């Protein structure tokens, strides 16, 4: 009998510390027990970057072995284009440019699929050239899919990210901040994520409410990218420490926010985030652009946290059925087509709504959890499998 197993190479790194990594890790876990698929990655599977329980790590044993073998084979090759006898899922950047393989050359598949979360409304000149090796471009948001189709990309599929419902679901909080109104804000520290909007609004809101506490998870693995946060001039300039990392505590102080009303968590592995999110009374994401659906916002909503979202780009996929509170005053940013700027007064008003109307906040939280209960990594992996199996 012919071997009906379909081989799939996840052409990006697995990690618990950033969005792409969490995506790849959950695809690997979902496919680990699927006899119809033989999934691998050509990136190193680094245990230090992955937070899993022992059972999950055991479930990935064959995946890890196969991945190490493929990587070793590729490292022995010359830095030139190589076609692997497998489906290749490639992570694409803003110009649809993939990363090279471990050998330093282009990696292609039979067939190849591009998976993309881009953050620009206009595709660059190199984008068209990159389409050729990909049978399908898989977009991570309705906005991304619409932009690709508007540029004439012939084969586009929409697959939203997911959440792990075993981790991200409503559950009792631990009550670590009794008597406080806790707001969570997460995402890579940069202009696109809009933490300067959070700071500008929090400065006003916190002054009115001494019981308010902002908890942030704003780490940026590429610290130089954090400098873009100063472009709007909505907040005081972001200071940096001697080691080149952003000094978030000093930034908050420079913006007139009291130390007892702010707590930065630093790097938080994905698996440790649920218990943190459940301590929050609200979550705030006044982002200027999301190529995907904003994974951290999805996870907050899945935990039943009433969530405030800027009504733009990838966030539209989450702004359904009153599942989140929308910031609707979204003004174009001429220097970056496609990006939108939230209104600080509207952000403050949204926080006030959740602070004063706890019944509405509870309803929002429940609606968000209901919406996200249907957006799981299992569903994401099944959709991906359907697309690659049809090629």
């Amino acid at each position: 009998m012919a071997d009906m197993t379909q081989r799939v190479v996840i052409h990006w790194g697995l990690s618990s510390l950033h969005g792409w990594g969490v995506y790849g890790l959950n695809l690997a876990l979902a496919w680990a027990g699927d006899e119809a698929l033989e999934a691998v990655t050509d990136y190193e599977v680094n245990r230090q970057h992955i937070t899993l329980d022992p059972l999950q790590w055991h479930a990935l044993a064959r995946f890890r072995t196969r991945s190490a073998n493929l990587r070793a084979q590729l490292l022995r090759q010359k830095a030139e284009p190589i076609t692997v006898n497998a489906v290749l899922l490639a992570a694409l950047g803003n110009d649809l440019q993939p990363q090279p393989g471990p050998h330093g050359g282009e990696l292609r598949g039979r067939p190849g699929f591009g998976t993309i979360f881009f953050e620009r409304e206009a595709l660059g000149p190199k984008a068209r050239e990159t389409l050729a090796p990909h049978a399908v471009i898989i977009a991570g948001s309705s906005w991304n899919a619409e932009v690709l189709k508007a540029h004439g990309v012939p084969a586009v599929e929409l697959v939203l990210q997911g959440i792990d419902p075993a981790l991200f679901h409503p559950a009792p909080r631990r009550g670590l901040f009794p008597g406080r109104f806790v707001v969570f804000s997460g995402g890579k520290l940069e202009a696109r994520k809009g933490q300067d909007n959070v700071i500008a609004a929090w400065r006003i809101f916190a002054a009115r409410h001494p019981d308010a506490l902002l908890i942030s998870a704003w780490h940026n693995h590429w610290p130089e990218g954090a400098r873009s946060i100063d472009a709007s001039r909505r907040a005081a300039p972001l200071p940096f420490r001697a080691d080149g990392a952003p000094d978030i505590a000093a930034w908050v102080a420079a913006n007139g926010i009291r130390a007892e009303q702010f707590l930065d968590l630093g790097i938080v592995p994905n698996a440790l985030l649920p218990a943190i999110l459940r301590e929050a009374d609200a979550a705030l994401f006044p982002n200027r652009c999301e190529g995907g659906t904003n994974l951290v916002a999805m996870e907050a909503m899945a935990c039943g946290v009433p969530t405030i979202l800027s009504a733009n780009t990838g966030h539209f996929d989450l702004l359904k059925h009153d599942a989140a509170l929308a910031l609707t005053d979204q003004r174009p940013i001429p220097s970056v087509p496609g990006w939108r700027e939230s209104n600080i007064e509207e952000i403050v008003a949204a926080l006030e709504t959740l602070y004063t109307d706890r019944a509405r906040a509870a309803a929002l939280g429940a609606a968000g959890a209901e919406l996200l209960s249907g957006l799981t990594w299992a569903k994401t992996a099944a959709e991906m499998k359907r697309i690659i199996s049809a090629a």
Side-chain angles (χ1 to χ4, degrees):
M1 182 181 292
D3 181 9
M4 299 301 291
T5 302
Q6 192 164 33
R7 294 171 178 83
V8 183
V9 179
I10 300 171
H11 185 39
W12 68 83
L14 278 55
S15 172
S16 298
L17 304 176
H18 54 77
W20 272 111
V22 171
Y23 192 1
L25 182 59
N26 279 281
L27 285 180
L29 286 166
W31 290 340
D34 191 333
E35 295 300 327
L37 295 177
E38 186 179 282
V40 297
T41 179
D42 56 316
Y43 280 64
E44 180 184 5
V45 181
N46 189 331
R47 189 71 171 97
Q48 292 183 324
H49 298 163
I50 296 174
T51 302
L52 293 175
D53 65 53
L55 287 178
Q56 289 175 308
W57 189 248
H58 174 74
L60 286 180
R62 287 191 297 171
F63 175 90
R64 291 184 282 118
T65 299
R66 291 194 300 256
S67 297
N69 291 339
L70 173 64
R71 183 173 174 82
Q73 293 171 15
L74 292 172
L75 284 170
R76 292 194 291 267
Q77 306 302 313
K78 296 179 180 179
E80 56 189 21
I82 293 177
T83 299
V84 292
N85 189 27
V87 171
L88 184 78
L89 285 178
L92 304 182
N94 278 329
D95 259 354
L96 280 67
Q97 301 301 303
Q99 294 296 312
H103 64 302
E106 182 184 356
L107 203 60
R108 299 172 182 168
R110 291 196 179 102
F113 293 81
T115 305
I116 194 161
F117 304 88
F118 60 83
E119 296 135 10
R120 296 289 187 273
E121 205 165 51
L123 301 181
K126 293 184 179 179
R128 181 62 58 178
E129 305 168 14
T130 314
L131 289 174
H134 303 300
V136 175
I137 302 294
I138 300 169
S141 68
S142 297
W143 176 67
N144 262 198
E146 290 161 5
V147 171
L148 288 168
K149 290 173 183 177
H151 280 80
V153 177
V156 178
E157 292 274 4
L158 171 64
V159 178
L160 301 183
Q161 297 175 93
I163 54 96
D164 181 348
L167 296 173
F168 297 96
H169 56 263
R173 64 173 64 183
R174 295 171 293 183
L176 300 179
F177 303 101
R180 305 298 297 272
F181 180 76
V182 179
V183 177
F184 176 85
S185 173
K188 184 170 61 172
L189 183 60
E190 61 180 2
R192 183 176 64 82
K193 292 288 188 178
Q195 288 93 346
D196 53 327
N197 287 332
V198 175
I199 289 291
W202 193 251
R203 179 172 52 213
I204 299 168
F205 181 80
R208 296 176 185 172
H209 303 286
D211 59 333
L213 172 64
L214 177 64
I215 294 178
S216 75
W218 288 345
H219 183 78
N220 190 330
H221 293 279
W222 303 271
E224 280 301 308
R227 295 186 184 278
S228 64
I229 205 74
D230 291 338
S232 75
R233 301 178 184 266
R234 289 187 158 193
L238 176 66
F240 285 75
R241 300 197 300 260
D243 63 359
D247 191 335
I248 295 175
W251 188 41
V252 169
N255 282 281
I257 297 167
R258 296 187 300 170
E260 62 267 26
Q261 290 189 286
F262 179 82
L263 175 63
D264 179 56
L265 304 178
I267 303 174
V268 181
N270 184 254
L272 300 184
L273 196 54
I276 292 168
L277 289 169
R278 293 187 192 108
E279 296 299 309
D281 298 287
L284 175 59
F285 300 93
N287 303 22
R288 295 180 170 96
C289 177
E290 280 295 329
T293 42
N294 188 345
L295 184 56
V296 184
M298 292 176 73
E299 291 166 345
M301 293 170 68
C303 287
V305 181
T307 300
I308 302 167
L309 297 175
S310 52
N312 66 46
T313 58
H315 277 171
F316 281 121
D317 287 310
L318 303 181
L319 289 168
K320 300 176 180 178
H321 313 301
D322 293 321
L325 192 56
L327 300 172
T328 58
D329 186 352
Q330 297 292 306
R331 303 176 187 183
I333 301 174
S335 60
V336 194
W339 288 28
R340 297 292 185 268
E341 191 70 274
S342 296
N343 183 302
I344 298 301
E345 292 180 359
E346 187 181 17
I347 298 172
V348 175
L351 288 168
E352 292 285 0
T353 294
L354 298 183
Y355 182 86
T356 58
D357 191 345
R358 300 303 171 93
R360 185 178 181 194
L364 278 167
E370 176 66 22
L371 176 68
L372 267 296
S373 68
L375 293 175
T376 65
W377 284 120
K379 181 178 180 181
T380 301
E383 282 293 294
M384 296 286 273
K385 179 181 176 181
R386 175 188 62 79
I387 293 166
I388 63 181
S389 297

